[in-house]
Amino acid sequence: MSNINMFVDLNGLKLKNPVTVASGTFGFGREFADYIDLNKIGAISVKGLTLEERKGNPTPRVAETPMGMLNSVGLQNPGVEYFIKYELPFLKQFDTKIIANINGNTIEEYCKIANILSKTSVNSLELNISCPNVKKGGVSFGREPEMVYEITKKVREYCSKHLIVKLSPNVKDIREIANAAEEGGADCISLINTLIGMAVDIEKETTILARGIGGLSGPAIKPVAVRMVYEVYNTVSIPIIGMGGIMNYKDAVEFFLVGASAISIGTGNLINPYITMEILDGIENHLRTKNYASVKDIVGKIKIPSA
């Protein structure tokens, strides 16, 4: 048994440990149940949900890059009602918190899905504001502080659950966006979502992804994610779930040191299905070696040497 206190409280969402998995990289949990004990994960953020079923984008919609991957899956999912009927009962078998990642093309869609899920046994909603706002010409909800505040405030009115707002890194100033989410009523912030990227096939002289551009994840984005978590930690008073290129326990510890209270593993799950357990063990061993009693002892502990 570990003598390290791994418990974290994300402003009302209480986790047995700070290791969670990122939406879109862990399915609905079934896909990994044969590899790891789902009871040992702090929380599972399920595949992004929409009001109705979505088939997703045309293939190819995934491309490997030298330090990560590009994806343009297009939020393929069976819809919120299917999730509630068929996937949620499976997840409720396990001693882990369930985070429902929600998506929409209008504020009204977000509010409807938040209202539906608030009547279920999910523990938290994660508001994905990287979606295009069809009423604003397709511009991402997460691009401007005013829009972030508006959508967070509106969804908060329909959400009786713990509310996480997931921030896009594709913005001018992440601090302004984080402030807007906090002021709109977010209980917690998760960041970062994917960076925008592109890959080219020089023989065919075309993009590898059918839609051209996609979201870049994996080790390549970790320095950007670490910097943004640091900036947001020093801007808001609500807790942060840090993510972006976490491939081992050392990466996870970096995020804690710059201010994340919990971490989320994404692309790493697609490479190594056992990664969550390996990182959890690694964090505990690191804390023990450094003589810390709790994971909370290292949150925000980073020191920046004088220039």
Side-chain angles (χ1 to χ4, degrees):
M1 294 290 293
S2 170
N3 59 352
I4 305 297
N5 181 5
M6 298 292 281
F7 172 83
V8 295
D9 185 346
L10 300 178
N11 201 12
L13 181 66
K14 298 176 180 180
L15 310 183
K16 69 168 74 71
N17 66 65
V19 176
T20 77
V21 291
S23 175
T25 67
F26 209 76
F28 294 114
R30 294 179 187 272
E31 296 84 344
F32 286 81
D34 289 339
Y35 297 95
I36 61 172
D37 183 353
L38 299 184
N39 294 295
K40 294 183 178 179
I41 299 175
I44 295 173
S45 184
V46 303
K47 187 171 180 59
L49 297 168
T50 51
L51 273 175
E52 306 294 337
E53 179 184 7
R54 281 198 190 180
K55 298 298 184 183
N57 291 334
T59 58
R61 53 190 187 183
V62 176
E64 188 174 354
T65 68
M67 288 292 287
M69 64 175 286
L70 285 166
N71 92 82
S72 180
V73 173
L75 293 173
Q76 176 188 344
N77 77 97
V80 65
E81 296 294 350
Y82 182 98
F83 165 76
I84 293 168
K85 186 175 181 179
Y86 296 105
E87 302 294 351
L88 186 55
F90 170 79
L91 286 168
K92 289 303 294 180
Q93 300 176 77
F94 302 98
D95 179 25
T96 185
K97 295 303 169 75
I98 304 165
I99 302 171
N101 181 282
I102 65 173
N103 304 265
N105 289 321
T106 64
I107 291 179
E108 291 76 17
E109 285 186 15
Y110 277 102
C111 291
K112 285 180 182 178
I113 195 170
N115 186 48
I116 291 168
L117 286 166
S118 288
K119 299 170 184 175
T120 72
S121 54
V122 300
N123 302 107
S124 177
L125 303 189
E126 183 178 44
L127 186 60
N128 177 11
I129 55 175
S130 297
C131 294
N133 182 353
V134 296
K135 292 187 177 180
K136 296 285 186 179
V139 176
S140 164
F141 282 101
R143 192 68 62 86
E144 300 295 336
E146 297 79 13
M147 200 178 299
V148 172
Y149 173 78
E150 180 184 3
I151 189 171
T152 305
K153 188 171 186 297
K154 288 289 186 182
V155 170
R156 177 79 278 177
E157 294 174 6
Y158 290 85
C159 175
S160 60
K161 301 285 185 177
H162 179 270
L163 181 62
I164 303 166
V165 177
K166 188 170 187 175
L167 303 189
S168 167
N170 305 300
V171 298
K172 181 172 66 175
D173 189 338
I174 196 68
R175 295 166 295 186
E176 292 181 349
I177 303 298
N179 266 328
E182 181 177 30
E183 291 171 5
D187 294 307
C188 178
I189 284 170
S190 60
L191 77 155
I192 61 176
N193 209 330
T194 55
L195 289 159
I196 297 172
M198 177 181 282
V200 173
D201 184 324
I202 64 169
E203 297 301 326
K204 296 180 180 177
E205 298 180 347
T206 184
T207 57
I208 294 177
L209 297 177
R211 291 289 293 267
I213 63 172
L216 176 66
S217 63
I221 74 169
K222 192 191 78 175
V224 177
V226 169
R227 185 263 298 176
M228 287 191 169
V229 168
Y230 172 78
E231 289 181 336
V232 170
Y233 176 74
N234 286 284
T235 301
V236 302
S237 59
I238 55 179
I240 299 165
I241 304 173
M243 64 190 75
I246 297 174
M247 304 301 289
N248 53 58
Y249 83 89
K250 294 181 180 179
D251 294 335
V253 170
E254 283 190 49
F255 278 89
F256 294 131
L257 289 172
V258 297
S261 293
I263 56 96
S264 198
I265 301 164
T267 301
N269 289 306
L270 308 179
I271 299 168
N272 174 11
Y274 306 101
I275 192 170
T276 47
M277 297 300 96
E278 293 172 4
I279 287 178
L280 179 58
D281 289 343
I283 294 168
E284 291 191 35
N285 289 334
H286 174 80
L287 294 172
R288 187 176 298 105
T289 300
K290 301 284 283 187
N291 293 317
Y292 289 112
S294 167
V295 67
K296 291 180 284 189
D297 293 341
I298 65 171
V299 173
K301 196 177 174 63
I302 191 71
K303 303 180 186 71
I304 298 181
S306 301

